[in-house]
Amino acid sequence: MATNNPLIEIRSGRVAKADALRKLGLNPYPSKSKRTHYTKQILDGFEALNGQTVTVAGRLMSWRKQGALAFAHVQDQTGKIQLFLRKNLVKPTEASTATLGYAELNLTDLGDIIEATGKVMRTERGEISVLVEEIRMLTKAIRPLPDQWSGLKDREQVLRKRYLDTILEPESAQRYANISKIVSSIREFLNQRGFLEFNTPVIQPQYGGGTAKPFKTHVNALGCDMYLAISHELYLKRLIVAGYDKVYTIGRYFRNEGIDRSHHPEFSMVETMAAYENYEYNMNLIEDMFRYIATNVFGRTEFTVLGHTIDFGKPWKRISMPDAVKEKYGIDFRDIKTVDEANEKLASIGMNEKQPSIGEALVKAFEGVEKELIQPTLVYGHPIEISPLAKPTSDDPRYVERFEIFIAGMECGDNWSEQNDPVHLLETWRKSYKSEERDAGKFHTLDFDFIEALEYGMPPTTGIGPGIERMAMIFTGKENIDDIIFFPLMRPSVSHINAQVYGIREQALAPVEDLALSQSEFEALCKEGLLKPQTTHVTIKPHLRSWPSGRYTGHVDLESFVADSVVHLTGFNIELPKTISDDQAKEIFVGKLEASVLGYIRKTFPQCQFTISPATVMRAG
């Protein structure tokens, strides 16, 4: 293939080396290794292994040859170890044993996966090493690794090729290993407390258990449409009806909504249900779970979250929502008798957006408290107006048995005593149901099969549902969900190089429902004619997410660029003082949009009219 691209030339050279190995009678891709030890076992157990023969295997990460001597490093799952090679000690190339001799080491390259057998020793410089006697090629890498000193600099390449990021960055590799351990630790914790793990359906005839836009699929064998799970809650409750008192699932969830720094269409969650308990049981359960993960996975209880030092070892603060508002503003919403009085109290603290009920006014006032809940805090006693599926408290039916978790100013979970009155629940669902918006994710859908199960009787029940990714962000100190998802969802792409190498055409834009793009991607697709307004009127909806650090991240929804769908423009970041109001943040955000994306759209599509909806602000979490 004639090309001036150096990567393609390097690849061709490595393919030729693989062929050269075959001509020597060596298979560059054997099926098995004879490894006896991981590198960490040797480094940690040097005193016992010194002078012993071991076999290590891993990726070749460094190579330095000096005449009759050579030094290399191989990397496996547990770390790196040095290989020390003397020309007179390394066995010659031999097809029957698949060994590669010193003279043929020029057929190896950085990135190859090799096996080395020799004695454990320490060099004159003090580095624990393997004095190599035999080398075998296990996998010939035909594409070179990125530069190890600079690593992957391009953010998109990090996300698309996470395997390269973890090869080059030990911190990244350890982070994902810890996330795996978090999941294992959750299982240990729940199993020790008598919970049974069940697999609940991912493909469901009726999505439910939450309010989110679902992904729809079609089951050919049954000849019907079904949904990917937005929640597994209703199946866990069926298990409670079946007679299991403590159940849980660690499942995958699919919500066909936006992508931003803290949300992803596919994510993981642990959901539990415990019979004969109420929400107070879960307060203890979630606090103990976080503490168990902290100590068992990380060996400590203090973590840095959004710039704050968080201590999971101390007892968590517990406070009712009315008391939290009273502590900050001196206003006790329990004493307020009318909606007008509630809105007057809101106005006195600078919140002028009128609320339709006393309970919703309380929730609005609580928004000013959230960012100050730094250490782990359980806020309970939510107003019934915003909690239709939770049970009212026995001492004051204006509030319900529900609590939220706050860590570093973020809401990190929502839990309540479950409604097990089938007549009441069906009535609540029917009131909110609109057939024309069935799959819009705006209300709990009607699941008559579940209602039938409830009619056989479900004991008092309560559950928790912390997101695995959100927990991982907290424990690893990451603020972007893409940094803790190994395979983040991205728009399919074929690079120019791969198109050349594999002889394929670059893919055009596939039909989509909701499309998330950066501004540069959006402009490129518009320039290519792949995106353009479908009507003469375009609606623009700005959205901001407020973070406790004072940072606002934003995205913009563009309607009418894709038929019956929305284009999400993401990646807008604004650093603002913590004291700034949401209204001021909205004004600044819209001003930035006027100078960037809105200006581009007006210039590129002058024939269109535009409506800019009022900006919305959501709290991170």
Side-chain angles (χ1 to χ4, degrees), residues 522-523 525-536 538 558 561 597-610:
F522 171 73
E523 292 181 6
L525 292 171
C526 288
K527 186 176 181 180
E528 295 173 27
L530 295 172
L531 277 183
K532 58 185 176 181
Q534 304 294 304
T535 68
T536 57
V538 174
L558 302 179
F561 268 82
V597 62
L598 303 187
Y600 173 81
I601 294 174
R602 288 193 176 100
K603 180 180 177 181
T604 308
F605 306 106
Q607 72 278 14
C608 289
Q609 295 180 332
F610 300 91

Side-chain angles (χ1 to χ4, degrees), residues 82-120:
Q82 179 172 267
L83 304 182
F84 178 32
L85 298 91
R86 293 182 181 272
K87 182 177 180 180
N88 62 335
L89 287 181
V90 178
K91 292 182 180 179
T93 298
E94 174 56 53
S96 63
T97 57
T99 55
L100 186 65
Y102 195 90
E104 285 72 44
L105 290 179
N106 62 310
L107 296 178
T108 63
D109 292 288
L110 295 184
D112 289 350
I113 298 173
I114 65 171
E115 177 188 277
T117 300
K119 290 183 171 56
V120 177

